Amino acid sequence: MSRKVICIAISLIMVMALVLTGCNTDTGKTTTAATTAAATTAAATTAAATTAAATTAAATTAAATTAAATTAAATTAPAVSEGGWDTGSCVVDPALASIDGEGAELDWYSYMSINDARTLVWADVMDYVNDTYNMMVTHHWVEPSEYASKMKTLVASGMCPDVFFTTPATGFIDFVGDGICLRLNELFEEYMPMTLAKVPPDILKGVTFDGNIYAVVPFKDLAENNSLLYYKDKLDEAGIEMVKWTRMYDTDEMMYQLREWRDATYPEEKDVAISQTYNLFYRCFTLETYSDPASTIVTNYPTLEFIQGYEAGNQMFCMYDTPEFLAHIKRINQFVTDKIYPYDAENYDKDGVHRRAGDQYIWYSQGYLFAPDSIVDYECALQMQGVSMMFTGYVQAATNAIYAETDYPESCAKLLEVFNNDEYLGTTLRFGREGEHWMVDENGCANNKLGTNTETGIKYWYGVQIGDICNCILPPDVDPAFRQALTDLNTNSLKSPNLGFSPDNTEIANEISAVSAVCSEYLTSTNLYSGMLTEEETDTRVAEFVAKLKANGVETILTTYQAQLDEWKANN
């Protein structure tokens, strides 16, 4: 039975129940069944349902219901009919039907590279939100490279929008400290129950300060997991099994076995590196970073104490002032010499020819739960890191906040509830108008290769600024098990004992800036990370780097952060 037929059937049943019982559809926020579903599965918003408007249409005219069921694929724009919108193949949870924005006029800022097609689609969506949820929303898209400065300017000038997408890089921690973000504790329970049910309680610790929640965290990958993508047929041909790994060094022996086999079997390729360069020290050693990684201050994870001499979770240290960092740079140099990593990585394979052709067997990625099927010309496989790490910076990496002085706090909360749970909104904003920009394919996916106008560049997966990344009909290049895999990733992740700790840089802003400048000088693919240094050059340059860090205040940062962490632990 199709999603649309299910939607209509449930709509009619709901209407009959309302007629027979004389219920008022404006009372209550969710049904018990919907609440239970939302609490038990991250995919609850895809339950068969319809909007209140579509329900009314189904009750008042059989013809309107028939039209809604039969024209979804053919329409080139959402058709407004008397009593509601045609949401096409999308199924909207009836728990959202009682949401009323009370005519609030709201400004919302996010970042996205916009184009004409997206502008038109967003206009459609804002009309839908106004008609369906009684809110007039003006959404302002800002180019990603300009967003941080734009938001800081708006806040400084007293023109902060009602709702805004925020991250540590765009000022979230400072905004909380300056009283810009609204406390959301009660609003979550009252106006965002479905959104709240999707994220485990631990996750909200990442946006909690002094017991108060200051941001809405969407359902997404909320724990960092790095992975290796590889040319499966080549490894099978070599009889080499992709190693299970927790830190990158676990793969070293396999890398050399693969290179030796490749050189013997395909000598004409012996000058091609078998792997992409991977040089980020804090990821190779699975360290927890605080603030900008360039601040250099980290801790070991419990059970993953890869840097010797520092108590996991409690003792902070400068990751670059360690013997392990010096050894790490020498490893990169050796990998370049041995044709594991490419020489002159800065300029190597910029057009991706070697990777797509399969000459390069291994490369690195982040966030993949399944191997993608469209980035190379052969079947690639995925080996995820053996542990996923949930820490404050990762949880804060994509959130929406509400302005503390908005005139409409409840309506802002309702807006975020809608965008995190209305499947029509989530699908339309990511893939465009059904029929014109995409159609449902034989596998039930929102396929942007189908439709009457597919050359618009409108697809925006995964669009975390919009909200829950699974609040949509998934595209064909995403595995159907994606929702459950995300849930498992978040649930089973290794939680930092410092989840919720955010350092205050107010008193050390100058040191942070100076140390960041030193890192920008040395931690590049043309300097320490180049792999082109001799042993003597490496020793000299790393010592130089550490000396400059100290001269520019890294020890002051370390002392300040450690004191703040100790105080935070004493109070949490």
Side-chain angles (χ1 to χ4, degrees):
M1 186 178 293
S2 70
R3 292 159 60 96
K4 188 65 185 179
V5 173
I6 293 172
C7 171
I8 297 164
I10 291 178
S11 299
L12 292 171
I13 291 170
M14 289 174 63
V15 172
M16 291 176 65
L18 291 173
V19 172
L20 290 172
T21 61
C23 290
N24 184 345
T25 58
D26 292 332
T27 60
K29 297 298 174 187
T30 60
T31 64
T32 301
T35 302
T36 302
T40 56
T41 170
T45 55
T46 61
T50 187
T51 62
T55 301
T56 305
T60 56
T61 167
T65 301
T66 303
T70 58
T71 64
T75 185
T76 59
V80 181
S81 59
E82 184 179 354
W85 281 64
D86 175 12
T87 56
S89 300
C90 298
V91 180
V92 182
D93 196 310
L96 298 170
S98 62
I99 291 180
D100 182 355
E102 300 177 348
E105 298 183 11
L106 306 176
D107 276 326
W108 185 8
Y109 270 74
S110 296
Y111 67 73
M112 180 194 283
S113 294
I114 204 71
N115 57 37
D116 290 344
R118 286 178 181 163
T119 299
L120 291 173
V121 167
W122 271 88
D124 292 343
V125 164
M126 293 305 114
D127 287 344
Y128 169 79
V129 171
N130 187 18
D131 290 348
T132 306
Y133 298 109
N134 193 21
M135 305 181 218
M136 296 185 65
V137 182
T138 301
H139 199 289
H140 306 266
W141 285 115
V142 181
E143 286 294 324
S145 62
E146 302 171 4
Y147 186 71
S149 59
K150 178 67 174 180
M151 273 305 305
K152 290 173 183 177
T153 299
L154 288 170
V155 168
S157 61
M159 299 174 64
C160 185
D162 301 283
V163 180
F164 53 96
F165 181 76
T166 186
T167 73
T170 61
F172 172 60
I173 297 169
D174 291 336
F175 292 163
V176 171
D178 294 339
I180 301 301
C181 300
L182 182 67
R183 178 180 181 273
L184 302 179
N185 300 45
E186 289 79 15
L187 289 176
F188 254 118
E189 296 181 6
E190 181 71 16
Y191 300 108
M192 296 181 282
M194 295 171 67
T195 303
L196 181 63
K198 292 179 179 181
V199 292
D202 281 346
I203 290 174
L204 291 179
K205 291 180 182 178
V207 291
T208 298
F209 298 76
D210 298 325
N212 297 317
I213 304 168
Y214 286 101
V216 176
V217 181
F219 179 71
K220 60 179 285 288
D221 53 311
L222 294 164
E224 179 178 284
N225 187 283
N226 302 294
S227 54
L228 295 175
L229 290 165
Y230 62 96
Y231 193 168
K232 186 177 185 303
D233 287 350
K234 290 294 186 185
L235 269 70
D236 288 347
E237 182 183 349
I240 295 174
E241 184 176 355
M242 171 54 71
V243 68
K244 295 180 180 179
W245 61 283
T246 299
R247 65 170 187 161
M248 203 58 69
Y249 280 38
D250 298 338
T251 67
D252 286 7
E253 182 179 352
M254 179 210 66
M255 292 282 198
Y256 277 96
Q257 290 175 352
L258 187 58
R259 193 218 62 188
E260 290 169 8
W261 170 84
R262 193 278 313 272
D263 289 356
T265 309
Y266 299 99
E268 69 278 10
E269 297 177 6
K270 64 182 179 63
D271 290 328
V272 178
I274 66 164
S275 172
Q276 174 195 25
T277 299
Y278 195 81
N279 51 32
L280 293 177
F281 179 60
Y282 61 92
R283 284 189 177 150
C284 286
F285 274 81
T286 317
L287 302 170
E288 179 171 4
T289 59
Y290 297 87
S291 189
D292 186 330
S295 70
T296 80
I297 306 305
V298 298
T299 55
N300 279 316
Y301 270 96
T303 74
L304 303 178
E305 299 178 63
F306 293 138
I307 305 295
Q308 299 300 306
Y310 299 99
E311 184 182 358
N314 291 322
Q315 192 173 2
M316 292 181 145
F317 57 95
C318 172
M319 60 180 157
Y320 303 120
D321 189 15
T322 61
E324 287 86 352
F325 177 69
L326 177 60
H328 176 67
I329 299 303
K330 291 183 177 181
R331 171 184 178 267
I332 294 173
N333 294 334
Q334 192 62 52
F335 268 32
V336 170
T337 299
D338 295 339
K339 300 296 195 326
I340 305 295
Y341 288 168
Y343 183 84
D344 190 17
E346 177 77 5
N347 298 300
Y348 179 78
D349 200 28
K350 283 191 170 183
D351 54 6
V353 170
H354 286 304
R355 178 187 296 182
R356 286 197 303 273
D359 299 334
Q360 189 180 67
Y361 298 165
I362 297 172
W363 64 100
Y364 304 91
S365 63
Q366 184 186 28
Y368 281 119
L369 301 181
F370 302 93
D373 59 5
S374 58
I375 62 174
V376 290
D377 300 333
Y378 51 87
E379 179 185 359
C380 67
L382 177 78
Q383 182 64 62
M384 292 175 64
Q385 190 175 5
V387 62
S388 301
M389 293 73 63
M390 183 181 291
F391 56 95
T392 305
Y394 206 85
V395 172
Q396 292 177 353
T399 68
N400 276 287
I402 298 173
Y403 181 34
E405 297 184 20
T406 179
D407 293 329
Y408 309 103
E410 295 86 1
S411 295
C412 289
K414 293 173 184 177
L415 173 71
L416 293 175
E417 177 80 336
V418 164
F419 272 80
N420 277 283
N421 297 285
D422 185 316
E423 187 179 86
Y424 171 73
L425 286 178
T427 304
T428 304
L429 293 176
R430 289 176 174 87
F431 309 120
R433 296 167 171 170
E434 183 175 5
E436 179 179 350
H437 302 125
W438 64 276
M439 291 178 66
V440 174
D441 63 20
E442 66 275 11
N443 297 314
C445 298
N447 196 326
N448 277 102
K449 294 181 180 179
L450 306 176
T452 61
N453 182 16
T454 61
E455 302 299 322
T456 58
I458 199 168
K459 182 179 178 181
Y460 195 67
W461 173 259
Y462 59 56
V464 69
Q465 306 96 307
I466 300 164
D468 174 359
I469 64 174
C470 289
N471 176 41
C472 62
I473 300 175
L474 294 176
D477 53 350
V478 175
D479 194 285
F482 182 68
R483 291 181 175 92
Q484 187 58 49
L486 271 184
T487 300
D488 294 343
L489 174 78
N490 295 333
T491 301
N492 300 328
S493 63
L494 179 62
K495 313 296 192 297
S496 165
N498 302 329
L499 185 60
F501 171 68
S502 296
D504 181 357
N505 293 332
T506 304
E507 301 299 323
I508 52 173
N510 291 337
E511 288 83 357
I512 291 286
S513 178
V515 165
S516 295
V518 175
C519 290
S520 296
E521 178 185 355
Y522 283 88
L523 300 177
T524 69
S525 57
T526 56
N527 198 329
L528 288 180
Y529 283 158
S530 69
M532 298 186 290
L533 303 177
T534 66
E535 180 103 356
E536 183 178 352
E537 286 173 332
T538 301
D539 289 335
T540 300
R541 209 165 293 186
V542 169
E544 216 176 73
F545 173 46
V546 172
K548 279 193 178 182
L549 289 175
K550 291 180 177 179
N552 283 276
V554 74
E555 291 173 322
T556 300
I557 299 173
L558 174 59
T559 301
T560 302
Y561 277 14
Q562 186 67 63
Q564 291 179 6
L565 179 63
D566 292 343
E567 182 180 0
W568 181 85
K569 282 180 171 291
N571 296 320
N572 289 275

